[in-house]
Each structure stands twice: as structure tokens, then as C-alpha cells.
Amino acid sequence: MDPFQQMSDWKKNMDHFFGDSFWNEFEGLIKPTIPQINIYQTDHELFCIASVPGISDLDKLDVYVDYTTLELKGSIDIDHSYGTVVKEEILHGVFERKIALPFPVRSDKIKATYKNGLVYIQLHRLISETSRKNRVHVHVLEDS
């Protein structure tokens, strides 16, 4: 008898009863999300700061921006070969996080930098120069 299988079955039953997003409400309480992110907004810009300590190879950090979504993927690695863990508060490991942005952003004007364990991402509001509303010309039909 596998206790983890029983837990999985129990979770499926809870998902079925409460809905698939039931556990998402507790995600931050059970395990805080990584990376931690602050987002600051002005009229035409967003400035995001993500805490990603311990990255020595920035090729292992992926930042994606798609219209109204910011996505961060990577791994926070901490060398812990110093003995047995007594206390561990610094979150680490593989992460994947999607953040909904308050407005659409331009894909051609993004700046991202990394310094002292923080990723700084500057995004600019997408302001459409063309309206989606098109005037339709109405023709007069002649009586036959």
C-alpha cells in the first residue's frame, strides 16, 4: 500500500469536489512562490524586480514577455555541501512563474538587467496607433 498514491487520490477527490483551482489558494501558505517579485507601475511603464539569488550563468534564466504576461523560468542553486542542514529559509530550486500584467506591453522595447541577485525588467505600455473600429461605407440600393 503506497501512502503517496492515497494522498494523490485524496487530492483528486478534493479537486473534483472543490474545483481544480482549490489548491492554488493555499500555494503561498504552503510554500512561498519563487522568485519573489515586485512590480511598480506608472502611466506608460512597468518596472519589475525579481529576487533570483545564486545565478552565475544568466543563460539558465529565461524571461518571456507576451502581451500581458511576464514569465520567469530558471533555477536558484545554493551550494550546500557544508554539512547537515540545521535551518533553511532561502528558497531555491527550479522555478517557473507567470505573472499577469496590468496592461499590454510592447515586445520591441524591453530591458532586463541583473545585479546583486536581482533581475530588473523595464516594460513599456503598448499603445495601439490604429483603432480596431473600422467605418463601414453604406451603399444605397436603387429600387428596381
Side-chain angles (χ1 to χ4, degrees):
M1 181 162 87
D2 183 7
F4 293 107
Q5 180 60 43
Q6 288 180 340
M7 286 180 64
S8 178
D9 292 343
W10 181 78
K11 182 183 178 307
K12 285 178 189 174
N13 289 333
M14 294 294 282
D15 286 345
H16 180 71
F17 184 75
F18 289 108
D20 291 335
S21 63
F22 175 74
W23 297 107
N24 294 340
E25 299 297 322
F26 299 100
E27 186 69 30
L29 296 172
I30 296 169
K31 177 185 170 192
T33 54
I34 59 172
Q36 296 168 320
I37 296 174
N38 290 358
I39 299 178
Y40 305 94
Q41 175 181 336
T42 65
D43 288 341
H44 299 289
E45 289 184 329
L46 291 174
F47 192 69
C48 309
I49 303 172
S51 177
V52 189
I55 291 188
S56 57
D57 184 4
L58 288 178
D59 288 334
K60 294 183 179 180
L61 173 66
D62 295 319
V63 178
Y64 301 100
V65 178
D66 183 26
Y67 197 62
T68 58
T69 304
L70 171 64
E71 185 176 357
L72 297 150
K73 294 181 181 183
S75 179
I76 296 174
D77 297 319
I78 297 176
D79 180 15
H80 54 81
S81 59
Y82 302 107
T84 304
V85 174
V86 175
K87 185 172 190 79
E88 189 171 57
E89 293 182 350
I90 300 171
L91 300 174
H92 57 93
V94 175
F95 62 85
E96 181 175 339
R97 183 140 186 228
K98 288 184 181 182
I99 298 98
L101 301 173
F103 51 73
V105 295
R106 292 175 56 173
S107 62
D108 63 333
K109 196 170 182 183
I110 300 169
K111 182 179 179 185
T113 56
Y114 181 81
K115 183 178 182 182
N116 297 330
L118 298 173
V119 178
Y120 300 91
I121 305 165
Q122 185 177 14
L123 305 168
H124 297 269
R125 183 186 286 260
L126 176 66
I127 301 172
S128 177
E129 295 177 4
T130 60
S131 173
R132 293 180 188 228
K133 183 166 68 172
N134 296 317
R135 187 169 193 279
V136 177
H137 182 71
V138 179
H139 299 279
V140 177
L141 289 176
E142 299 291 329
D143 288 335
S144 47

